[in-house]
Amino acid sequence: RKEVEQDPGPFNVPEGATVAFNCTYSNSASQSFFWYRQDCRKEPKLLMSVYSSGNEDGRFTAQLNRASQYISLLIRDSKLSDSATYLCVVKSGGSNYKLTFGKGTLLTVNP
Amino acid sequence: NAGVTQTPKFQVLKTGQSMTLQCAQDMNHEYMSWYRQDPGMGLRLIHYSVGAGITDQGEVPNGYNVSRSTTEDFPLRLLSAAPSQTSVYFCASMHLGQGREKGSDGYTFGSGTRLTVV
């Protein structure tokens, strides 16, 4: 089993749609969880951290379910500028500095 | 501007050639790492370092060497390039103390080096 697995995508949605990304991780000792965004031919950039209590940043909501080892990202009222690859990232508990990336899910928001 | 600087941005090599990808950061970060990104594979860790004089292997270290003689620099060496090493390479750094704070990521990525081996 891969350490971090994401929906393979790609997702094509119209502007204004709600889109959800799902991710699972295999290491139950993992302690920190993130969603990164990567634009075409650019470096990954942190979008938001993910907590068990859930966290929201404007149109973006991230959720962590430790029992199911499941992470999600919800984007509401999607914009053209949301088009990018979304990466699920887990920081392993043992070292707390090495990041393990999912393969990413490509989102295209269409006008 | 503070950050992680990678050079070159693009490179084409012939099979068997050697080269060094440069990575430098001016944030006094202890931790530095190299990732490669291939289509459909996500980012995979090649080598990392938690301080000057200390390096360790990541998930895909074969064919690459690193050294960390200073805090600022973490070069990645390809001793004998192979077509399988065609990829985009990212260097990332982090202050270790910052990484332990809840919710803190602290990773700063360079803009990447696109390497083609023919």
Side-chain angles (χ1 to χ4, degrees):
Chain A
R1 181 182 175 185
K2 293 286 185 184
E3 195 166 339
V4 180
E5 293 199 65
Q6 291 185 240
D7 290 333
F11 290 3
N12 284 278
V13 302
E15 269 187 294
T18 296
V19 60
F21 300 99
N22 301 310
C23 172
T24 57
Y25 61 95
S26 61
N27 184 354
S28 59
S30 299
Q31 294 183 351
S32 302
F33 310 89
F34 310 92
W35 284 101
Y36 273 69
R37 169 193 169 125
Q38 185 174 25
D39 293 296
C40 187
R41 305 178 78 84
K42 297 287 189 180
E43 71 272 23
K45 293 185 178 178
L46 180 64
L47 178 66
M48 58 197 308
S49 302
V50 189
Y51 308 120
S52 297
S53 55
N55 51 308
E56 187 172 313
D57 183 3
R59 298 181 292 108
F60 298 82
T61 301
Q63 188 71 51
L64 166 67
N65 184 321
R66 285 189 181 273
S68 303
Q69 296 181 203
Y70 170 85
I71 307 162
S72 65
L73 175 68
L74 187 74
I75 304 177
R76 293 180 299 278
D77 188 24
S78 53
K79 312 292 185 189
L80 296 178
S81 57
D82 293 334
S83 296
T85 296
Y86 290 83
L87 300 162
C88 178
V89 183
V90 173
K91 191 178 284 187
S92 55
S95 67
N96 206 37
Y97 45 73
K98 287 196 290 183
L99 299 183
T100 300
F101 289 77
K103 293 182 179 181
T105 304
L106 176 63
L107 170 67
T108 301
V109 181
N110 302 302
Chain B
N1 292 331
V4 178
T5 302
Q6 286 185 239
T7 56
K9 293 190 182 301
F10 303 93
Q11 183 71 50
V12 179
L13 288 179
K14 293 182 179 178
T15 297
Q17 284 186 316
S18 62
M19 79 158 296
T20 299
L21 280 63
Q22 301 290 346
C23 176
Q25 53 90 9
D26 57 3
M27 298 168 284
N28 205 31
H29 284 174
E30 299 92 337
Y31 179 76
M32 297 186 74
S33 57
W34 277 101
Y35 287 87
R36 61 177 288 174
Q37 186 174 31
D38 303 298
M41 296 296 293
L43 279 82
R44 293 182 292 169
L45 182 64
I46 305 172
H47 285 285
Y48 65 96
S49 167
V50 297
I54 305 169
T55 63
D56 208 345
Q57 296 181 349
E59 179 186 356
V60 287
N62 292 339
Y64 307 95
N65 281 352
V66 292
S67 60
R68 185 91 180 270
S69 56
T70 67
T71 300
E72 295 78 18
D73 299 299
F74 190 44
L76 179 71
R77 298 184 185 85
L78 284 70
L79 300 179
S80 178
S84 61
Q85 294 178 303
T86 294
S87 188
V88 180
Y89 292 85
F90 289 104
C91 179
S93 72
M94 183 180 76
H95 176 48
L96 287 179
Q98 185 177 2
R100 297 194 181 96
E101 297 167 7
K102 180 188 176 183
S104 170
D105 172 78
Y107 264 57
T108 301
F109 278 87
S111 58
T113 295
R114 293 186 172 274
L115 175 68
T116 301
V117 183
V118 298

PDB file of all heavy atoms in Angstrom, chain A residues 27 29 31 90-100, chain B residues 31 45 48 50 94 96 99-100 107:
ATOM      1  N   ASN A  27       0.500   5.266   7.427  1.00  0.00           N
ATOM      2  CA  ASN A  27       1.270   5.268   8.665  1.00  0.00           C
ATOM      3  C   ASN A  27       0.449   5.878   9.795  1.00  0.00           C
ATOM      4  O   ASN A  27       0.252   7.091   9.853  1.00  0.00           O
ATOM      5  CB  ASN A  27       2.566   6.059   8.464  1.00  0.00           C
ATOM      6  CG  ASN A  27       3.469   6.020   9.686  1.00  0.00           C
ATOM      7  OD1 ASN A  27       3.099   5.500  10.737  1.00  0.00           O
ATOM      8  ND2 ASN A  27       4.658   6.565   9.554  1.00  0.00           N
ATOM      9  N   ALA A  29       1.179   6.428  12.684  1.00  0.00           N
ATOM     10  CA  ALA A  29       1.954   7.296  13.569  1.00  0.00           C
ATOM     11  C   ALA A  29       2.150   8.699  12.992  1.00  0.00           C
ATOM     12  O   ALA A  29       2.740   9.554  13.630  1.00  0.00           O
ATOM     13  CB  ALA A  29       3.318   6.666  13.854  1.00  0.00           C
ATOM     14  N   GLN A  31       1.791  12.489  12.101  1.00  0.00           N
ATOM     15  CA  GLN A  31       1.312  13.496  13.051  1.00  0.00           C
ATOM     16  C   GLN A  31       0.841  14.786  12.401  1.00  0.00           C
ATOM     17  O   GLN A  31       0.032  15.504  12.973  1.00  0.00           O
ATOM     18  CB  GLN A  31       2.428  13.825  14.040  1.00  0.00           C
ATOM     19  CG  GLN A  31       2.798  12.658  14.933  1.00  0.00           C
ATOM     20  CD  GLN A  31       3.854  13.046  15.952  1.00  0.00           C
ATOM     21  OE1 GLN A  31       4.427  14.123  15.893  1.00  0.00           O
ATOM     22  NE2 GLN A  31       4.117  12.160  16.895  1.00  0.00           N
ATOM     23  N   VAL A  90       1.851  14.273   4.007  1.00  0.00           N
ATOM     24  CA  VAL A  90       1.885  13.772   5.379  1.00  0.00           C
ATOM     25  C   VAL A  90       3.301  13.887   5.915  1.00  0.00           C
ATOM     26  O   VAL A  90       4.262  13.558   5.217  1.00  0.00           O
ATOM     27  CB  VAL A  90       1.427  12.296   5.416  1.00  0.00           C
ATOM     28  CG1 VAL A  90       1.627  11.697   6.799  1.00  0.00           C
ATOM     29  CG2 VAL A  90      -0.024  12.186   4.989  1.00  0.00           C
ATOM     30  N   LYS A  91       3.402  14.376   7.126  1.00  0.00           N
ATOM     31  CA  LYS A  91       4.708  14.441   7.776  1.00  0.00           C
ATOM     32  C   LYS A  91       4.764  13.291   8.768  1.00  0.00           C
ATOM     33  O   LYS A  91       3.929  13.181   9.639  1.00  0.00           O
ATOM     34  CB  LYS A  91       4.894  15.783   8.464  1.00  0.00           C
ATOM     35  CG  LYS A  91       6.311  16.054   8.931  1.00  0.00           C
ATOM     36  CD  LYS A  91       6.441  17.421   9.552  1.00  0.00           C
ATOM     37  CE  LYS A  91       6.462  18.517   8.530  1.00  0.00           C
ATOM     38  NZ  LYS A  91       6.769  19.840   9.143  1.00  0.00           N
ATOM     39  N   SER A  92       5.792  12.429   8.631  1.00  0.00           N
ATOM     40  CA  SER A  92       5.858  11.224   9.441  1.00  0.00           C
ATOM     41  C   SER A  92       6.215  11.555  10.871  1.00  0.00           C
ATOM     42  O   SER A  92       6.981  12.476  11.136  1.00  0.00           O
ATOM     43  CB  SER A  92       6.872  10.239   8.858  1.00  0.00           C
ATOM     44  OG  SER A  92       8.130  10.858   8.717  1.00  0.00           O
ATOM     45  N   GLY A  93       5.618  10.801  11.786  1.00  0.00           N
ATOM     46  CA  GLY A  93       5.771  11.120  13.193  1.00  0.00           C
ATOM     47  C   GLY A  93       7.177  10.951  13.702  1.00  0.00           C
ATOM     48  O   GLY A  93       7.628  11.671  14.571  1.00  0.00           O
ATOM     49  N   GLY A  94       7.916   9.982  13.158  1.00  0.00           N
ATOM     50  CA  GLY A  94       9.234   9.701  13.697  1.00  0.00           C
ATOM     51  C   GLY A  94      10.213  10.833  13.517  1.00  0.00           C
ATOM     52  O   GLY A  94      11.009  11.128  14.386  1.00  0.00           O
ATOM     53  N   SER A  95      10.138  11.483  12.412  1.00  0.00           N
ATOM     54  CA  SER A  95      11.136  12.503  12.100  1.00  0.00           C
ATOM     55  C   SER A  95      10.510  13.869  12.035  1.00  0.00           C
ATOM     56  O   SER A  95      11.038  14.709  11.875  1.00  0.00           O
ATOM     57  CB  SER A  95      11.786  12.217  10.754  1.00  0.00           C
ATOM     58  OG  SER A  95      10.835  12.381   9.713  1.00  0.00           O
ATOM     59  N   ASN A  96       9.305  14.066  11.915  1.00  0.00           N
ATOM     60  CA  ASN A  96       8.660  15.373  11.904  1.00  0.00           C
ATOM     61  C   ASN A  96       9.343  16.413  11.018  1.00  0.00           C
ATOM     62  O   ASN A  96       9.257  17.593  11.252  1.00  0.00           O
ATOM     63  CB  ASN A  96       8.543  15.957  13.316  1.00  0.00           C
ATOM     64  CG  ASN A  96       7.369  16.920  13.383  1.00  0.00           C
ATOM     65  OD1 ASN A  96       6.348  16.700  12.768  1.00  0.00           O
ATOM     66  ND2 ASN A  96       7.511  17.998  14.130  1.00  0.00           N
ATOM     67  N   TYR A  97      10.056  15.984   9.999  1.00  0.00           N
ATOM     68  CA  TYR A  97      10.511  16.944   9.010  1.00  0.00           C
ATOM     69  C   TYR A  97      10.452  16.385   7.614  1.00  0.00           C
ATOM     70  O   TYR A  97      10.440  17.135   6.668  1.00  0.00           O
ATOM     71  CB  TYR A  97      11.927  17.457   9.309  1.00  0.00           C
ATOM     72  CG  TYR A  97      12.952  16.410   9.707  1.00  0.00           C
ATOM     73  CD1 TYR A  97      13.471  15.523   8.782  1.00  0.00           C
ATOM     74  CD2 TYR A  97      13.399  16.349  11.002  1.00  0.00           C
ATOM     75  CE1 TYR A  97      14.405  14.580   9.152  1.00  0.00           C
ATOM     76  CE2 TYR A  97      14.343  15.409  11.378  1.00  0.00           C
ATOM     77  CZ  TYR A  97      14.842  14.539  10.456  1.00  0.00           C
ATOM     78  OH  TYR A  97      15.766  13.603  10.826  1.00  0.00           O
ATOM     79  N   LYS A  98      10.359  15.079   7.458  1.00  0.00           N
ATOM     80  CA  LYS A  98      10.273  14.522   6.121  1.00  0.00           C
ATOM     81  C   LYS A  98       8.819  14.494   5.672  1.00  0.00           C
ATOM     82  O   LYS A  98       7.952  13.980   6.355  1.00  0.00           O
ATOM     83  CB  LYS A  98      10.856  13.113   6.072  1.00  0.00           C
ATOM     84  CG  LYS A  98      12.372  13.089   6.175  1.00  0.00           C
ATOM     85  CD  LYS A  98      12.929  11.756   5.743  1.00  0.00           C
ATOM     86  CE  LYS A  98      12.602  10.666   6.733  1.00  0.00           C
ATOM     87  NZ  LYS A  98      13.224   9.385   6.334  1.00  0.00           N
ATOM     88  N   LEU A  99       8.582  15.091   4.491  1.00  0.00           N
ATOM     89  CA  LEU A  99       7.239  15.095   3.929  1.00  0.00           C
ATOM     90  C   LEU A  99       7.088  13.958   2.929  1.00  0.00           C
ATOM     91  O   LEU A  99       7.988  13.696   2.148  1.00  0.00           O
ATOM     92  CB  LEU A  99       6.962  16.411   3.201  1.00  0.00           C
ATOM     93  CG  LEU A  99       7.010  17.693   4.017  1.00  0.00           C
ATOM     94  CD1 LEU A  99       6.641  18.879   3.133  1.00  0.00           C
ATOM     95  CD2 LEU A  99       6.091  17.617   5.214  1.00  0.00           C
ATOM     96  N   THR A 100       5.927  13.296   2.975  1.00  0.00           N
ATOM     97  CA  THR A 100       5.590  12.300   1.962  1.00  0.00           C
ATOM     98  C   THR A 100       4.397  12.823   1.182  1.00  0.00           C
ATOM     99  O   THR A 100       3.372  13.181   1.762  1.00  0.00           O
ATOM    100  CB  THR A 100       5.245  10.945   2.598  1.00  0.00           C
ATOM    101  OG1 THR A 100       6.369  10.484   3.347  1.00  0.00           O
ATOM    102  CG2 THR A 100       4.923   9.924   1.514  1.00  0.00           C
TER     103      THR A 100
ATOM    104  N   TYR B  31      17.464  22.041   7.999  1.00  0.00           N
ATOM    105  CA  TYR B  31      17.032  20.922   7.168  1.00  0.00           C
ATOM    106  C   TYR B  31      16.967  21.333   5.704  1.00  0.00           C
ATOM    107  O   TYR B  31      16.383  22.364   5.358  1.00  0.00           O
ATOM    108  CB  TYR B  31      15.654  20.448   7.624  1.00  0.00           C
ATOM    109  CG  TYR B  31      15.093  19.298   6.819  1.00  0.00           C
ATOM    110  CD1 TYR B  31      15.555  18.007   7.006  1.00  0.00           C
ATOM    111  CD2 TYR B  31      14.094  19.512   5.868  1.00  0.00           C
ATOM    112  CE1 TYR B  31      15.046  16.950   6.266  1.00  0.00           C
ATOM    113  CE2 TYR B  31      13.579  18.473   5.129  1.00  0.00           C
ATOM    114  CZ  TYR B  31      14.057  17.182   5.335  1.00  0.00           C
ATOM    115  OH  TYR B  31      13.550  16.141   4.602  1.00  0.00           O
ATOM    116  N   LEU B  45      11.390  11.742  -2.311  1.00  0.00           N
ATOM    117  CA  LEU B  45      12.563  12.238  -1.618  1.00  0.00           C
ATOM    118  C   LEU B  45      13.808  11.496  -2.070  1.00  0.00           C
ATOM    119  O   LEU B  45      13.858  10.261  -2.038  1.00  0.00           O
ATOM    120  CB  LEU B  45      12.359  12.078  -0.105  1.00  0.00           C
ATOM    121  CG  LEU B  45      13.457  12.588   0.806  1.00  0.00           C
ATOM    122  CD1 LEU B  45      13.614  14.094   0.685  1.00  0.00           C
ATOM    123  CD2 LEU B  45      13.156  12.211   2.258  1.00  0.00           C
ATOM    124  N   TYR B  48      18.397  13.933   2.002  1.00  0.00           N
ATOM    125  CA  TYR B  48      18.112  15.052   2.889  1.00  0.00           C
ATOM    126  C   TYR B  48      19.260  15.240   3.878  1.00  0.00           C
ATOM    127  O   TYR B  48      20.131  14.374   4.021  1.00  0.00           O
ATOM    128  CB  TYR B  48      16.778  14.856   3.625  1.00  0.00           C
ATOM    129  CG  TYR B  48      16.746  13.692   4.585  1.00  0.00           C
ATOM    130  CD1 TYR B  48      16.991  13.871   5.942  1.00  0.00           C
ATOM    131  CD2 TYR B  48      16.434  12.407   4.139  1.00  0.00           C
ATOM    132  CE1 TYR B  48      16.945  12.810   6.824  1.00  0.00           C
ATOM    133  CE2 TYR B  48      16.391  11.342   5.012  1.00  0.00           C
ATOM    134  CZ  TYR B  48      16.638  11.538   6.352  1.00  0.00           C
ATOM    135  OH  TYR B  48      16.594  10.476   7.225  1.00  0.00           O
ATOM    136  N   VAL B  50      20.050  17.179   7.857  1.00  0.00           N
ATOM    137  CA  VAL B  50      19.530  17.902   9.018  1.00  0.00           C
ATOM    138  C   VAL B  50      20.548  18.892   9.577  1.00  0.00           C
ATOM    139  O   VAL B  50      20.322  19.498  10.619  1.00  0.00           O
ATOM    140  CB  VAL B  50      19.062  16.938  10.133  1.00  0.00           C
ATOM    141  CG1 VAL B  50      17.912  16.085   9.631  1.00  0.00           C
ATOM    142  CG2 VAL B  50      20.205  16.075  10.620  1.00  0.00           C
ATOM    143  N   MET B  94      13.906  23.830   5.601  1.00  0.00           N
ATOM    144  CA  MET B  94      13.036  24.113   6.729  1.00  0.00           C
ATOM    145  C   MET B  94      13.872  24.324   7.979  1.00  0.00           C
ATOM    146  O   MET B  94      14.909  23.678   8.165  1.00  0.00           O
ATOM    147  CB  MET B  94      12.073  22.941   6.959  1.00  0.00           C
ATOM    148  CG  MET B  94      11.068  23.154   8.070  1.00  0.00           C
ATOM    149  SD  MET B  94       9.965  21.753   8.287  1.00  0.00           S
ATOM    150  CE  MET B  94      11.052  20.617   9.124  1.00  0.00           C
ATOM    151  N   LEU B  96      14.233  23.448  11.650  1.00  0.00           N
ATOM    152  CA  LEU B  96      13.718  22.274  12.350  1.00  0.00           C
ATOM    153  C   LEU B  96      12.832  22.654  13.515  1.00  0.00           C
ATOM    154  O   LEU B  96      11.839  22.019  13.794  1.00  0.00           O
ATOM    155  CB  LEU B  96      14.870  21.372  12.805  1.00  0.00           C
ATOM    156  CG  LEU B  96      15.556  20.599  11.675  1.00  0.00           C
ATOM    157  CD1 LEU B  96      16.695  19.753  12.238  1.00  0.00           C
ATOM    158  CD2 LEU B  96      14.550  19.725  10.955  1.00  0.00           C
ATOM    159  N   GLY B  99       9.331  23.403  12.477  1.00  0.00           N
ATOM    160  CA  GLY B  99       8.554  22.268  12.007  1.00  0.00           C
ATOM    161  C   GLY B  99       7.831  21.540  13.103  1.00  0.00           C
ATOM    162  O   GLY B  99       6.936  20.753  12.854  1.00  0.00           O
ATOM    163  N   ARG B 100       8.173  21.770  14.347  1.00  0.00           N
ATOM    164  CA  ARG B 100       7.531  21.048  15.435  1.00  0.00           C
ATOM    165  C   ARG B 100       6.300  21.764  15.960  1.00  0.00           C
ATOM    166  O   ARG B 100       5.554  21.233  16.763  1.00  0.00           O
ATOM    167  CB  ARG B 100       8.524  20.838  16.572  1.00  0.00           C
ATOM    168  CG  ARG B 100       9.708  19.973  16.184  1.00  0.00           C
ATOM    169  CD  ARG B 100      10.476  19.508  17.403  1.00  0.00           C
ATOM    170  NE  ARG B 100      11.620  18.707  16.993  1.00  0.00           N
ATOM    171  CZ  ARG B 100      12.848  19.187  16.849  1.00  0.00           C
ATOM    172  NH1 ARG B 100      13.082  20.454  17.071  1.00  0.00           N
ATOM    173  NH2 ARG B 100      13.837  18.420  16.459  1.00  0.00           N
ATOM    174  N   TYR B 107       8.216  24.547   5.265  1.00  0.00           N
ATOM    175  CA  TYR B 107       9.004  24.204   4.074  1.00  0.00           C
ATOM    176  C   TYR B 107       9.009  25.367   3.085  1.00  0.00           C
ATOM    177  O   TYR B 107       7.968  25.929   2.786  1.00  0.00           O
ATOM    178  CB  TYR B 107       8.394  22.990   3.368  1.00  0.00           C
ATOM    179  CG  TYR B 107       9.017  21.669   3.734  1.00  0.00           C
ATOM    180  CD1 TYR B 107       9.066  21.239   5.045  1.00  0.00           C
ATOM    181  CD2 TYR B 107       9.540  20.837   2.763  1.00  0.00           C
ATOM    182  CE1 TYR B 107       9.621  20.017   5.382  1.00  0.00           C
ATOM    183  CE2 TYR B 107      10.096  19.611   3.076  1.00  0.00           C
ATOM    184  CZ  TYR B 107      10.132  19.209   4.390  1.00  0.00           C
ATOM    185  OH  TYR B 107      10.684  17.995   4.695  1.00  0.00           O
TER     186      TYR B 107
END
